[in-house]
């Protein structure tokens, strides 16, 4: 059966930049564009030239992509011609092969937001698209507030679409701008648009996630006949975000209901790199990846309950809708006080450790886990610390180094500008083989900001590991979480540290103590030890 072509249009570089707290540099936009192009999307919307310096700079030196680079803007303003509208001219001067112009299709927005007549708005749409097409550009028309507009005045909403269609727009994109339309409504209204005379292979869908259904709404439009989907990586976007391409793409490529009907231009091999792309975007944004993201989240294939783990051991399909490797992810069977021997043996097998079912060390490890979780540890969130605990019980963790002592001091003082500042200093003394090493580090960063006692401690620990130094040079801390597990004067602190290395591996370690610095140091030690163990580093001889 011949598959229909479904086109993917990414708006991360524009809609994603409207996310609260997100501001891409020009270099970062080039980096993201390269990631998107490698993934295989059809269109990359680079931003709005003329709207801000970053977008203008991006289009002044555009990336070379297989995907069609698109400039975004708006239809001409009333009272001037398309040829003499400077805002429209800035978009066209970006010289991209395609342009996407947003225009009003909701009568209320025309008369109240724009303050013009309904006919003037239709003329703006018609003249703008005609001008773009006459200049040889592929034109997309973003029908802003279309679904709300259709529900309020279907005749005018459809008339707006036909003005763009008849003027030569290649794509008419139906936008759920407020994000409140439900999937069933999207399906019905998209069918009505097709019935009005605009074919489905000229229709796109652009959904926001304000009801948590942007992906479902996008798929509903596809089911109704639309053949272009707009979205962003990791669902970035204003308010609650846009339809997430990191959810839509694997659904379209891996689920037979869509894979057997549509060709997206994204190969299964590219989908296997989806996790890396998702994490890279979070790295650029300097934020912690959301664990619960479908397909690419760290918890997307985590099985905590003992009953689930037992079934997973027999057949992963019992609790997994796809093989996690298809999106570059991995199965996790967290260890916790809910764990049984099925979980434990499965996790050990994933670690490459084969243990007989009747090995007496298995129940001992489980008892140790449960006792430690009663004391405040959380191994379902710190798989690397669990691996070390289990391997130590099995005699499989070398003593790479011994911590003889450490000290952390915090000083509050005035700097040369007569400002009160804090400065932390850490001293760590290690024994590696027969040699003692003393390292000292401060918490001040290159910009002169204090990063706290744990930062000083981490820097001191990693400053001189002698023969192991090369193995940890590419290691960095990416997140630090603190929780008080008991209240009052006997409070116990749990610290979970997320680390990453140059290979893109991420691992989590945990430490528990009434002293937050001591808990942090325990987690840091586990992070370094796990890295050395996983890299196959040989223990230094005594």
């Amino acid at each position: 059966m011949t598959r229909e072509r479904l086109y993917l249009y990414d708006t991360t570089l524009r809609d994603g930049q409207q996310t609260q707290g997100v501001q891409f540099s020009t270099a970062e936009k080039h980096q993201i564009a390269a990631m998107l192009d490698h993934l295989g999307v059809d269109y990359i919307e680079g931003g709005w030239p003329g709207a801000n310096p970053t977008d203008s700079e991006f289009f002044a030196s555009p990336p070379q992509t297989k995907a069609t680079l698109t400039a975004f803007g708006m239809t001409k303003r009333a009272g001037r011609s398309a040829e003499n509208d400077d805002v429209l001219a800035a978009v066209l001067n970006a010289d991209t092969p395609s342009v996407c112009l947003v225009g009003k299709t909701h009568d209320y927005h025309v008369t109240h937001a724009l303050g013009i007549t309904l006919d003037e708005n239709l003329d703006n749409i018609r003249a703008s698209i005609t001008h773009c097409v006459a200049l040889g550009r592929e034109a997309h028309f973003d029908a802003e507030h279309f679904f709300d507009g259709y529900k309020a005045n279907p005749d005018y909403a459809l008339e707006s679409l036909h003005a763009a269609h008849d003027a030569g727009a290649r794509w008419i994109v139906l936008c759920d701008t407020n994000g409140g339309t439900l999937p069933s409504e999207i399906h019905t209204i998209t069918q009505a648009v097709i019935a009005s005379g605009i074919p489905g292979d000229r229709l796109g869908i652009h959904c926001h996630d304000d009801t948590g259904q942007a992906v479902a709404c996008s798929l509903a439009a596809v089911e109704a006949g639309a053949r272009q989907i707009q979205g962003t990586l990791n669902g970035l976007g204003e308010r609650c975000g846009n339809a997430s391409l990191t959810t839509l793409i694997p659904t379209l490529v891996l689920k037979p209901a869509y894979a057997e009907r549509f060709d997206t231009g994204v190969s299964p091999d590219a989908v296997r790199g989806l996790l890396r792309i998702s994490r890279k975007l979070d790295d650029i944004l300097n934020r912690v990846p959301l664990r619960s993201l479908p397909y690419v989240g760290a918890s997307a294939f985590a099985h905590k309950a003992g009953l689930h783990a037992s079934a997973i051991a027999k057949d992963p399909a019992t609790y997994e809708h796809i093989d996690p490797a298809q999106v570059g992810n991995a199965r996790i069977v967290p260890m916790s006080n809910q764990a049984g021997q099925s979980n434990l043996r499965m996790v050990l097998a994933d670690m490459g450790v084969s243990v007989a079912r009747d090995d007496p060390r298995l129940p001992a490890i489980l008892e140790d886990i449960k006792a430690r979780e009663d004391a405040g540890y959380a191994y379902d969130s710190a798989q690397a610390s669990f691996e070390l605990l289990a391997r130590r019980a099995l005699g499989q963790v070398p003593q790479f180094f011994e911590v003889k002592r450490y000290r952390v001091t915090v000083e509050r003082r005035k700097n040369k500008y007569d400002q009160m500042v804090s400065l932390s200093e850490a001293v760590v003394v290690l024994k590696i083989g027969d040699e003692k090493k003393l390292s000292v580090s401060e918490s001040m960063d290159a910009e002169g900001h204090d990063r706290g006692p744990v930062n000083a401690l981490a820097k001191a620990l990693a400053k001189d590991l002698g023969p192991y130094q090369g193995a940890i040079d590419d290691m960095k801390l990416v997140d630090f979480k603190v929780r008080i597990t008991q209240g009052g004067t006997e409070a116990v602190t749990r610290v979970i540290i997320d680390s990453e290395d140059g290979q893109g591996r991420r691992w989590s370690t945990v430490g528990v103590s009434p002293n937050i610095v001591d808990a942090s140091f325990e987690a840091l030690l586990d992070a370094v030890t796990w890295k050395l163990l996983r890299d196959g580093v040989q223990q230094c001889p005594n």
Side-chain angles (χ1 to χ4, degrees):
M1 181 178 70
T2 302
R3 295 184 297 176
E4 291 185 73
R5 189 65 161 85
L6 193 60
Y7 294 85
L8 299 174
Y9 183 113
D10 182 272
T11 69
T12 302
L13 300 183
R14 182 183 64 83
D15 277 318
Q17 195 159 255
Q18 294 176 9
T19 308
Q20 188 174 10
V22 170
Q23 183 63 50
F24 298 126
S25 68
T26 303
E28 288 168 343
K29 294 186 77 159
H30 276 264
Q31 190 176 5
I32 294 167
M35 290 158 48
L36 290 166
D37 200 39
H38 181 75
L39 182 59
V41 301
D42 298 290
Y43 295 92
I44 298 173
E45 188 177 272
W48 189 331
N52 60 73
T54 302
D55 284 5
S56 296
E57 186 178 337
F58 175 82
F59 285 107
S61 181
Q64 299 301 308
T65 60
K66 297 185 294 294
T68 302
L69 192 63
T70 305
F72 180 87
M74 66 181 186
T75 56
K76 80 171 187 70
R77 290 163 291 178
R80 64 192 71 193
S81 68
E83 292 79 6
N84 293 313
D85 188 296
D86 56 332
V87 176
L88 180 56
V91 176
L92 292 168
N93 288 341
D95 204 29
T96 54
S98 81
V99 296
C100 181
L101 301 183
V102 62
K104 304 292 187 185
T105 58
H106 187 174
D107 58 357
Y108 177 83
H109 284 266
V110 173
T111 57
H112 288 72
L114 295 181
I116 61 176
T117 68
L118 299 182
D119 284 340
E120 283 179 308
N121 182 59
L122 294 176
D123 178 65
N124 290 344
I125 295 170
R126 193 177 297 111
S128 300
I129 298 297
T130 298
H131 181 54
C132 292
V133 173
L135 293 175
R137 311 298 173 81
E138 180 184 51
H140 305 242
F141 175 63
D142 262 13
E144 190 179 29
H145 295 286
F146 172 73
F147 291 97
D148 292 331
Y150 182 91
K151 286 183 275 188
N153 185 342
D155 291 338
Y156 184 75
L158 289 173
E159 194 174 0
S160 302
L161 300 187
H162 281 273
H165 175 265
D166 295 345
R170 167 63 183 91
W171 291 104
I172 310 295
V173 184
L174 310 180
C175 300
D176 184 28
T177 309
N178 287 355
T181 310
L182 301 179
S184 58
E185 297 175 302
I186 296 280
H187 187 274
T188 299
I189 295 172
T190 302
Q191 284 186 323
V193 172
I194 295 173
S196 76
I198 299 179
D201 61 6
R202 301 280 293 275
L203 284 180
I205 183 69
H206 179 111
C207 294
H208 287 257
D209 205 33
D210 296 75
T211 67
Q213 299 180 89
V215 169
C217 286
S218 300
L219 294 174
V222 170
E223 292 290 348
R227 293 297 177 258
Q228 185 201 96
I229 298 179
Q230 295 194 357
T232 62
L233 291 176
N234 290 352
L236 289 183
E238 195 172 23
R239 304 186 311 276
C240 302
N242 287 45
S244 175
L245 289 181
T246 37
T247 299
L248 278 163
I249 287 174
T251 298
L252 295 169
V253 175
L254 301 177
K255 295 296 183 181
Y258 297 101
E260 293 175 359
R261 294 171 54 197
F262 301 109
D263 174 22
T264 63
V266 178
S267 69
D269 186 57
V271 174
R272 283 190 284 273
L274 195 61
L275 174 67
R276 179 183 53 81
I277 289 173
S278 173
R279 294 276 177 83
K280 186 63 178 178
L281 178 65
D282 283 324
D283 283 345
I284 291 171
L285 297 174
N286 193 28
R287 68 179 195 176
V288 179
L290 184 62
R291 300 184 68 88
S292 59
L293 277 180
Y295 293 103
V296 295
S299 298
F301 301 95
H303 309 279
K304 184 173 179 179
L307 178 63
H308 294 189
S310 178
I312 283 284
K314 298 172 183 174
D315 182 0
T318 52
Y319 284 96
E320 290 177 352
H321 65 109
I322 66 163
D323 179 352
Q326 290 181 288
V327 290
N329 212 334
R331 180 177 306 116
I332 297 176
V333 182
M335 297 308 301
S336 71
N337 57 14
Q338 297 186 38
Q341 289 201 29
S342 295
N343 296 55
L344 180 55
R345 294 183 70 247
M346 182 183 297
V347 172
L348 292 175
D350 287 341
M351 289 160 36
V353 180
S354 178
V355 183
R357 186 181 298 272
D358 58 353
D359 191 310
R361 294 173 294 184
L362 291 177
I365 293 172
L366 286 175
E367 287 304 313
D368 193 11
I369 291 169
K370 292 176 182 179
R372 284 172 168 266
E373 291 215 339
D374 284 343
Y377 289 83
Y379 289 108
D380 59 332
S381 301
Q383 287 289 93
S385 283
F386 160 73
E387 180 175 342
L388 293 175
L389 180 152
R391 284 187 180 274
R392 285 185 179 116
L394 298 170
Q396 297 181 0
V397 179
Q399 186 174 21
F400 295 107
F401 55 86
E402 179 186 358
V403 179
K404 303 302 291 185
R405 63 183 176 90
Y406 78 86
R407 182 179 71 246
V408 179
T409 59
V410 180
E411 181 182 6
R412 184 77 170 159
R413 70 186 183 197
K414 284 192 174 183
N415 63 12
K416 63 182 179 180
Y417 304 108
D418 202 35
Q419 300 168 324
M420 291 300 296
V421 295
S422 295
L423 178 66
S424 301
E425 182 182 77
V427 178
V428 176
V429 179
L430 303 175
K431 185 177 180 183
I432 303 175
D434 294 326
E435 184 181 3
K436 280 190 177 180
K437 292 184 174 292
L438 183 150
S439 297
V440 181
S441 284
E442 291 185 342
S443 58
M444 202 72 73
D445 64 14
E447 287 75 37
H449 301 124
D450 175 51
R451 295 303 181 187
V454 175
N455 174 268
L457 196 57
K459 288 163 65 177
L461 177 62
K463 195 170 187 177
D464 186 4
L465 276 185
Y468 309 128
Q469 192 63 39
I472 66 164
D473 279 341
D474 67 339
M475 176 180 163
K476 62 180 179 179
L477 273 58
V478 294
D479 195 25
F480 176 83
K481 298 182 283 289
V482 178
R483 180 167 181 177
I484 304 301
T485 62
Q486 297 175 17
T489 58
E490 298 180 353
V492 173
T493 303
R494 176 198 302 148
V495 171
I496 293 180
I497 289 177
D498 292 344
S499 304
E500 186 180 58
D501 65 10
Q503 302 175 51
R505 294 182 303 191
R506 285 182 183 247
W507 63 99
S508 300
T509 51
V510 61
V512 171
S513 171
N515 184 312
I516 185 173
V517 176
D518 200 43
S520 303
F521 193 60
E522 182 184 5
L524 286 169
L525 288 174
D526 269 6
V528 171
T529 301
W530 187 90
K531 166 73 168 164
L532 296 176
L533 185 69
R534 277 303 181 101
D535 280 359
V537 174
Q538 296 299 308
Q539 180 183 2
C540 179
N542 293 326

